[in-house]
Amino acid sequence: MVRPTFPHASAILSEPAAFLFFNPQHSAFALLRRDKPRNLRLQMKLLVIGSGGREHALVWKLAQSPHVTQLWCAPGNAGIQQERTEKTGKPVECVNIGAEDLPKLLAVAQEKKIELTVVGPDNPLALGIVDLFQKNDLRIWGPNQKAAQFESSKVFSQDFMEKYGIPTAKSGTFSEPAAAKKFAGLLGGKCAVKADGLALGKGVLICASVAEANKAIDEILVSKAFGAAGAKIVIQEFLEGMEISLHALCDGKTAKLFPTSQDHKRALDGDKGLNTGGMGTYCPTPFLGETALAETGRKILEPFTRGCAAEGIDFRGILYPGIIVTRSGPKVLEFNARFGDPETQVYLTRLENDLVELLDASVNGTLDRVELKWSPMASVCVVMASGGYPGGYAKGKPILGLAEAAKLPNTKVFHAGTAKNGNEIVTNGGRVLGVTAWAKDLKSAQSAAYTAVEKICFEGVQFRRDIAAKALS
Ligand code: AMP
Ligand code: GLY
């Protein structure tokens, strides 16, 4: 585990930062290019659900919209609490309700007369928060429970991809260990063994030999390591190549593809160490050019949309396919049904559209009238995590240097696991901050992000020093 001395320093920081004093969110250029509001209420109250860096980025971007008068977040974090809506200057209010407490979330949305609820994480979607709010005549953005199965069931997703010809890994679905082992044997043991259901991001076991694959199959199907989530498994051939994230905003008929981004899932530099929720991202990546991205988007999104129509699935929200660019072309590993974290941090620092207008169009089914606009800047997010993460870690460590980092231009420190303790902001989770900077090119953005990282410290802090390095080597 990386535990830099306190206060820390990093080799990459020696480079001079090149800043552009141009903020895409506030420039006249961006305002001129913004889509015209369509029938949108100019006095909207919004509720965002979740408490991570993704939700801070969503709140930050939504708070810039002239449509928003007041914003709540459940449960939020210390950084979200510091945001204000640009239109009214009202502070964002955090309400202490967990993202999975559906009855209380419904009650607060009714009490505050929320006009649009925006769901960040996967669990409330899988629990059917969208269906519940819709039954109660409340507008909510995100896929309903049936559509959220693209993330909540790997068997559902894999069957769908095969049925509708979406490029994916060779795979099989099993509930019997003997048949699963036979299939893994045919792949020479080089495979990914995946529990069907949500397993706190731990349900995927990557195997390099028949012995490893047999052990993984027994762990899930026989020892029930993931309980009911592992009643069935998907076994995929192991795909080699560069892994990248795609996102597409969908409205049930139309899907609008984002630029590519890349997460860094392992805890340590050089993609070593344990898998985490994500230690840093950058956008765009050089691994799919404009034409290849458009082609990949078409190969995934056309059959996706056709398949949804045929199966009666109304997918309104973000479809986030994880893909590997193999020698024989890009292949989908998995679908998520929400914004990635920390992909959101780099996407929303480049997005020039009004996010309320986009989410509204996604709910309304009018995305065909919208054009996504991205700033020409590159964006880099470096996650600062608690020592020990993704294993056990201490909480309550004071975070120093946030005010210094906030003075840097074209930089935003998104909070994830943070809390207020009196006047102090302290650590309160594994991933603590997503330090994000944008600049004219990737190298400058990387340098700016690490300049900000250097200003911040807390006891035990760990972060990767090679975010975006793959794109620059
Ligand atoms: P998932 O939850 O399906 O995204 O899997 C977690 C991680 O395991 C992914 O981000 C990949 O790095 C890796 N992975 C999953 N499936 C495969 C596969 N078929 N081949 C190679 N790596 C994989
Ligand atoms: N970036 C990984 C995830 O959001 O699942």
Side-chain angles (χ1 to χ4, degrees), residues 12 27 106 172 186 223 237 239 259 298 306-307 324 340 370 414:
I12 210 159
S27 70
L106 175 66
L186 294 175
S223 311
E237 67 174 321
L239 296 174
R298 209 171 48 250
R306 186 165 30 88
I324 289 194
V370 171
F414 293 113

Side-chain angles (χ1 to χ4, degrees), residues 131-267:
D131 313 63
L132 175 69
F133 273 48
Q134 284 173 346
K135 256 186 234 141
N136 286 276
D137 292 324
L138 287 171
R139 272 167 79 71
I140 181 163
W141 176 80
N144 60 27
Q145 195 169 31
K146 186 173 181 186
Q149 283 182 99
F150 280 105
E151 177 154 9
S152 63
S153 169
K154 297 215 187 265
V155 170
F156 172 88
S157 243
Q158 196 68 38
D159 287 352
F160 183 96
M161 287 196 272
E162 276 157 31
K163 185 165 176 189
Y164 292 100
I166 294 175
T168 181
K170 210 181 288 165
S171 76
T173 295
F174 306 94
S175 50
E176 295 301 326
K181 287 177 187 175
K182 192 168 168 203
F183 183 75
L186 294 175
L187 298 172
K190 292 190 182 59
C191 61
V193 180
K194 305 185 174 191
D196 176 35
L198 294 175
L200 300 170
K202 293 182 177 153
V204 175
L205 305 172
I206 303 293
C207 310
S209 65
V210 170
E212 276 180 30
N214 288 345
K215 186 164 169 263
I217 291 164
D218 283 339
E219 252 176 62
I220 304 181
L221 286 181
V222 182
S223 311
K224 307 274 179 211
F226 305 110
K232 287 189 204 162
I233 55 174
V234 170
I235 301 182
Q236 287 180 335
E237 67 174 321
F238 182 82
L239 296 174
E240 285 182 54
M242 193 59 86
E243 185 174 353
I244 56 178
S245 302
L246 300 184
H247 279 53
L249 183 62
C250 306
D251 72 354
K253 306 184 290 284
T254 303
K256 296 271 174 168
L257 193 61
F258 287 18
T260 60
S261 66
Q262 186 172 49
D263 192 3
H264 298 63
K265 292 205 171 150
R266 302 294 198 96

Side-chain angles (χ1 to χ4, degrees), residues 96-149:
N96 192 16
I97 301 173
E100 290 165 35
D101 193 342
L102 271 43
K104 283 199 183 142
L105 292 168
L106 175 66
V108 86
Q110 285 169 330
E111 180 207 320
K112 307 282 185 202
K113 303 200 174 6
I114 298 295
E115 269 117 351
L116 181 67
T117 297
V118 176
V119 189
D122 50 347
N123 279 350
L125 296 170
L127 290 170
I129 192 168
V130 171
D131 313 63
L132 175 69
F133 273 48
Q134 284 173 346
K135 256 186 234 141
N136 286 276
D137 292 324
L138 287 171
R139 272 167 79 71
I140 181 163
W141 176 80
N144 60 27
Q145 195 169 31
K146 186 173 181 186
Q149 283 182 99

